[in-house]
Amino acid sequence: MNLARPKTPTKAQRTAIAALMAAAGLVTAAAATPLLPATAAPVSHSSKGCGVATAQAPGTGADYELVSGGLTRTYRLHLPPQYDKKKASQLIVVYHGRGKTGAFTEAFSDLSKLNAIVAYPNGVVGDEDKQAWQGAPYAAKGVDDVKFTNDLLDSLEASYCVDTDAVYATGKSNGAGFTGILACRLADRFAAIAPVSGAFYIEGTRCAPSRPVPVLDIHGTGDTTIPYGGDGERDLPSVQTWVRDWSVRDHCSPEPKVTQQGDDVLTFTYKGCRADVVHVAVTDGGHSWPGSDSSSGPGYVTQTFEAHELIGAFFTAHKMRH
């Protein structure tokens, strides 16, 4: 069961979240409108794997291995029921949280319900014998997950019919944080990212993407695992700071438009961007996946929207621009 919360936020709760947003330099004019802007999608570009026969049946999942950087890596792959080897499909790569697995993330996220090829790679065991991703202080030392991601994309695009202009990254917690690194370093391969409850550790390296990258960020204001306001002792910036940095990289206007959905969701949409930046703040939301059950993480889980549906819509609206 989800943790209980008031049906309608109290005046104090609304004041608190408004203060958080104001402190981040965000406007607070709310209105009931859709979460995402509409964006026209360009035509598709097919990968080398189009026309290649595969033993995996459409609508099924299977586990695979891939050697990268001298390590045998693993991932789970789900093909949509509509998969056609002659028609280019979206490819979504999903990164699990620390100590979790791709299969576990598939189970609660519902991302395999989308009409896309969905890959769920597994991280390498790091500190405390927990699988994690590059960029976090507890990740396995010397493991290059950016290279692994490049190798994984090469393999999938050679074996399946992928729209190379519609390759995306999402994930939760440590995995969500890693999508931020991918946007910085592999902007030529990922059309957009959508981190949920992201742990955006400060690496000390400059983020300089080769192109503006669309970003959809989802985070609960009541997250106690990765605090919304950041954690200086762990080198975690506030979520607002991380989002605002992307709005600068993507050349957006400084003040976003703020809209409200239901009684617990505020959406901050930056305008005038070269690539869209959208932040969804769940009032009192925990370290959880919106629309799921309590298995996705501790704290309140909003049912106002389904994260996989919102992410799917954002990805579909944002193909690679040339």
Side-chain angles (χ1 to χ4, degrees):
M1 297 295 291
N2 298 338
L3 298 188
R5 72 183 294 274
K7 183 176 181 180
T8 303
T10 64
K11 181 178 180 180
Q13 289 171 327
R14 289 186 179 279
T15 301
I17 190 172
L20 277 172
M21 300 308 174
L26 305 178
V27 297
T28 56
T33 60
L35 287 171
L36 297 175
T39 304
V43 297
S44 66
H45 289 75
S46 301
S47 71
K48 295 179 180 179
C50 291
V52 175
T54 174
Q56 184 175 339
T60 67
D63 297 314
Y64 296 91
E65 293 183 344
L66 175 69
V67 176
S68 174
L71 299 173
T72 299
R73 307 295 297 267
T74 61
Y75 64 94
R76 184 163 182 77
L77 187 71
H78 184 271
L79 296 181
Q82 304 92 330
Y83 177 74
D84 183 340
K85 68 179 182 179
K86 297 181 180 179
K87 183 178 180 181
S89 297
Q90 287 185 357
L91 170 60
I92 301 173
V93 187
V94 185
Y95 296 88
H96 61 72
R98 183 192 186 195
K100 307 302 181 182
T101 65
F104 177 79
T105 306
E106 179 183 25
F108 71 71
S109 69
D110 282 338
L111 287 164
S112 289
K113 291 182 178 180
L114 299 176
N115 184 21
I117 300 169
V118 187
Y120 300 87
N122 292 303
V124 175
V125 173
D127 292 355
E128 299 179 2
D129 291 325
K130 293 181 178 181
Q131 293 186 137
W133 297 102
Q134 180 179 349
Y138 42 74
K141 302 300 184 288
V143 174
D144 190 343
D145 285 320
V146 175
K147 173 177 170 49
F148 166 54
T149 296
N150 249 329
D151 293 342
L152 176 62
L153 294 181
D154 287 345
S155 177
L156 294 175
E157 290 174 5
S159 302
Y160 301 91
C161 194
V162 173
D163 181 350
T164 57
D165 287 340
V167 178
Y168 308 98
T170 183
K172 182 173 179 288
S173 194
N174 166 226
F178 182 57
T179 69
I181 295 174
L182 293 176
C184 294
R185 297 178 58 181
L186 293 183
D188 60 327
R189 304 209 69 171
F190 286 100
I193 64 169
V196 180
S197 302
F200 305 111
Y201 295 97
I202 299 172
E203 289 190 289
T205 57
R206 181 170 174 265
C207 177
S210 60
R211 50 172 281 276
V213 180
V215 175
L216 167 64
D217 176 74
I218 303 171
H219 211 109
T221 66
D223 190 332
T224 58
T225 304
I226 305 297
Y228 192 82
D231 185 340
E233 292 184 0
R234 290 190 287 162
D235 284 335
L236 287 169
S238 73
V239 174
Q240 309 101 309
T241 297
W242 187 85
V243 172
R244 190 169 61 248
D245 286 348
W246 270 105
S247 76
V248 172
R249 293 184 192 105
D250 289 348
H251 303 276
C252 305
S253 299
E255 293 186 345
K257 177 181 179 181
V258 184
T259 57
Q260 183 168 351
Q261 182 183 24
D263 61 11
D264 63 351
V265 176
L266 292 177
T267 300
F268 300 80
T269 305
Y270 284 84
K271 297 297 183 180
C273 308
R274 294 183 184 175
D276 289 335
V277 176
V278 180
H279 170 54
V280 180
V282 179
T283 307
D284 299 331
H287 194 61
S288 54
W289 187 272
S292 68
D293 58 29
S294 59
S295 68
S296 69
Y300 166 63
V301 186
T302 183
Q303 300 300 320
T304 299
F305 70 98
E306 300 270 351
H308 77 282
E309 293 178 350
L310 184 64
I311 291 168
F314 186 80
F315 285 168
T316 297
H318 294 87
K319 295 182 69 173
M320 192 83 77
R321 295 177 181 178
H322 296 279

